[in-house]
Amino acid sequence: MAQVPQTFFDALAVRTWCGHALRALGRAREEIDAINVYPVADGDTGTNLYLTVESAAAAVEAVFSGYEAGAGEGARPTPAEAVRAMAHGALIGARGNSGTILAQLLRGMAQVLAASDETPVGAPAAGDTDHADGPGLQLALRHAADSARQAVAHPVEGTVLSVASAAADAAEGAAGDCGAVARAAYEGARAALAATPRQLAVLERAGVVDAGGRGLVVVLAALVETFTGEAPGDAGLPQGGPVEETYARVEPMSGSAGAEGCADGAGQGGPAFEVIYLLEAGDAAVARLRDRLDALGDSLVVVGGDGLWNVHVHVDDAGAAVEAGVEAGRPYRIRITHFGLGDVHTGGGERTPRERVQRAVVAVVPGEGLAGLYTEAGATTVLARPGEPPASGELAEAVRRAHAREVVLLPNDAELRHTAAAAAEQARADGIRVALIPTRSAVQGIAALAVHEPGRRFDEDVVSMTSAAGATRYAEVAVAEHQSWTMAGICQAGDVLGLIDGDVAVIGSDVTATAETVLERMLQAGGELVTIVLGEETPEAVADRLEARVREAYLAVDTVVYRGGRQGALLLIGVE
């Protein structure tokens, strides 16, 4: 059913735009990946933009769902809440150079459209707290383009930055409502995209337009559709433009290092690693971090604010880049990609595709400690921080990143089962054989991984892993956030809850006592191995007491303890 065009930029317009943009990028993803030759010809710009917008859209849907759950169907967040959710979702889910810059573009728009007390000094305000009109959208697009340029260490023309600036320039010359402004921005961006090969030699040599700019044109076309109800007929180059029929697949090429909007290293190879992480830090510390990372490598883009940042850089010393983040604040969701010998950063011709392994395991894990444990066991991990579950596109990308013919997928959360199923279907469309084991806790995933044997037949391996997970009872100890009815009675905010197999079984006031009661109940049904995973703030004394209790009362039962990091729950317990 066709959606009603939006007149103003209100909360519903934010939701509609995210939906249109996600679907449009999904259709254009492979085309954009195919023309990705700058900053590195790694063929992932379309995918990175899709995953960034998917995270933004999921955050907006979450805030709408929260209102509908609390106030009933039809209840909506304020425009400020919706655009902030969009910007935050893009920030925490940003992937690659282009995704990181897109996150800053959305943040720049949000700073204006929210028209809130948090709008930074010097940023214009749209003025209307109920919605933004055409002039408000003009201001938002201008601030977005300017803030994105400021986030890039060394801006270069012929990239997504040029396309964003042209869109803002064209929007400022438009008169009328949001639809007129959006269309003007789209047309300006489209013309600027056609000009990118004349601005950047690597694009001209390859006969393509800038991939990041192409993605931004798709996002702006979705904005036009949001306000007019009609998608532009050709969200790409003008007919008869200087680079027609350029969307054939481009093979990875050498001499294309740099950054999406950064000049460093272009033309003569580049650093070996891409390092990306979220960072909790103050403005002054981030300013120092920028200087240090700029000296370490290139492709530096730092976006965000208000204490949360997304850092992206290409370096030869990945450890030094992470250490710089540790000195600045608290880095997490750290992703390090090795470009590898003979790939996009090296000279000497085309890249030889890496041979696929036969089988891999991909697992969602709730904390850095468990991520390390799973990685040591050979799994590809996706980190799910509290309140930030991964989207299906992120899981599908992890399956592809495992580079295997067969993949076992462990969601490790009952609420992620449908998301994981969608990711599995996406990966199967790429020819990957995927088996989804419906693990509901990370301790069930540990049990499954313990019996994983890549050498046996796929079906046999999946059956064995599924049996091991199913034979593992799971529990967690957490703190109640608010008063609620539970299977064990009414709990108050601050109570310690013991959940067994997903249901509240114990309500207490002491973490150790509650955990001990939970463990006793689980062992009443028997067991041979107890697995304990401590949260970041849970003292070792809790595990010591549980281990002592098992030794005292259950002589034939072994206990193993791990540190899980920031996993949400104070304690995870598994009994096999």
Side-chain angles (χ1 to χ4, degrees), residues 62 289 359 372:
L289 175 66
R359 189 174 308 158

Side-chain angles (χ1 to χ4, degrees), residues 112-166:
V112 174
L113 296 171
S116 68
D117 293 338
E118 286 86 2
T119 300
V121 176
D128 191 327
T129 57
D130 294 323
H131 60 256
D133 54 11
L137 181 55
Q138 290 172 324
L139 291 172
L141 290 168
R142 177 80 273 159
H143 184 60
D146 293 344
S147 62
R149 278 189 177 270
Q150 293 168 5
V152 175
H154 303 286
V156 167
E157 299 308 323
T159 65
V160 65
L161 299 178
S162 304
V163 176
S165 294

